[in-house]
Amino acid sequence: MKKIGVLALQGAVDEHIQMIESVGALPFKVKRSSDLDGLDGLVLPGGESTTMRKIMKRYDLMEPIRAFSKEGKAIFGTCAGLVLLSKEIEGGEESLGLIDATAIRNGFGRQKESFEAELNVEAFGESAFEAIFIRAPYLIEPSNEVAVLATVENRIVAAKQTNILVTAFHPELTNDNRWMNYFLEKMV
């Protein structure tokens, strides 16, 4: 059984744990670098990216997460996780630098501009994915190494690069576990 950690500092931790269980994997909460030991993959949940980064720095998690990725272990970032995993964040904030694209924080607007949209994802076949966007970011300027998996209004909202998967939306807030299944089957 695959062991998947969820960075449990802030954000939608419990929802990701339920999603991991729904695809038959074993979830673990990650609060310290030692919690990464023995994991097959890691999820960086949605939440508030600035707060999460500050806590990650306070608990010395930035370098251990980078090392986890360099070992070839898969990481899935949703919403704030996408921002933290990007190579750059517009405005110059520090990131983990693990997917070669720039993140635009709150790219679709503030809380009141939150929305839902049907996404056509080639890997999911004919059935659209109903995505929930809350203060959603998006990616720009991806390198040739980044595979774009979904867009909204020509903005990149899902992508992958080697062992990194990111979504600008919150699949954990739906009953549709296809993104977590994709992460486990294609990346972990």
Side-chain angles (χ1 to χ4, degrees):
M1 183 177 284
K2 293 179 182 176
K3 298 176 183 176
I4 306 297
V6 178
L7 189 65
L9 305 177
Q10 191 263 344
V13 175
D14 291 336
E15 293 85 351
H16 279 289
I17 286 173
Q18 291 169 3
M19 191 63 67
I20 291 166
E21 290 173 337
S22 80
V23 295
L26 191 57
F28 290 90
K29 289 184 178 181
V30 173
K31 295 185 179 184
R32 297 177 293 282
S33 61
S34 61
D35 295 337
L36 296 168
D37 296 342
L39 295 179
D40 299 302
L42 177 66
V43 174
L44 273 61
E48 211 296 308
S49 62
T50 301
T51 300
M52 290 172 70
R53 183 181 55 255
K54 286 178 182 177
I55 297 170
M56 288 167 65
K57 289 180 77 140
R58 182 179 307 140
Y59 292 101
D60 294 319
L61 281 163
M62 299 288 279
E63 282 308 314
I65 290 172
R66 287 183 185 115
F68 185 84
S69 172
K70 287 178 184 165
E71 291 172 12
K73 304 273 181 99
I75 302 177
F76 181 9
T78 63
C79 198
L82 172 146
V83 174
L84 292 167
L85 289 166
S86 64
K87 181 178 178 183
E88 294 182 24
I89 302 170
E90 187 181 59
E93 297 176 29
E94 183 181 1
S95 68
L96 291 164
L98 297 175
I99 188 165
D100 196 9
T102 299
I104 307 297
R105 292 178 70 234
N106 299 323
F108 289 96
R110 296 284 184 200
Q111 188 81 22
K112 65 182 180 178
E113 282 86 40
S114 298
F115 64 98
E116 294 184 21
E118 286 189 359
L119 301 180
N120 295 313
V121 182
E122 187 176 322
F124 298 166
E126 295 293 317
S127 179
F129 181 86
E130 188 68 29
I132 300 170
F133 293 83
I134 303 170
R135 290 179 31 204
Y138 62 87
L139 294 175
I140 61 170
E141 303 170 349
S143 75
N144 292 335
E145 303 297 315
V146 176
V148 175
L149 302 175
T151 61
V152 169
E153 300 171 359
N154 295 318
R155 297 174 182 167
I156 302 167
V157 297
K160 69 174 183 168
Q161 180 180 348
T162 58
N163 59 328
I164 306 297
L165 174 66
V166 293
T167 63
F169 47 89
H170 292 268
E172 77 282 5
L173 298 180
T174 73
N175 292 323
D176 188 336
N177 65 11
R178 288 182 288 173
W179 282 101
M180 188 60 69
N181 211 39
Y182 180 90
F183 177 63
L184 289 176
E185 289 183 359
K186 305 284 186 196
M187 306 192 71
V188 176

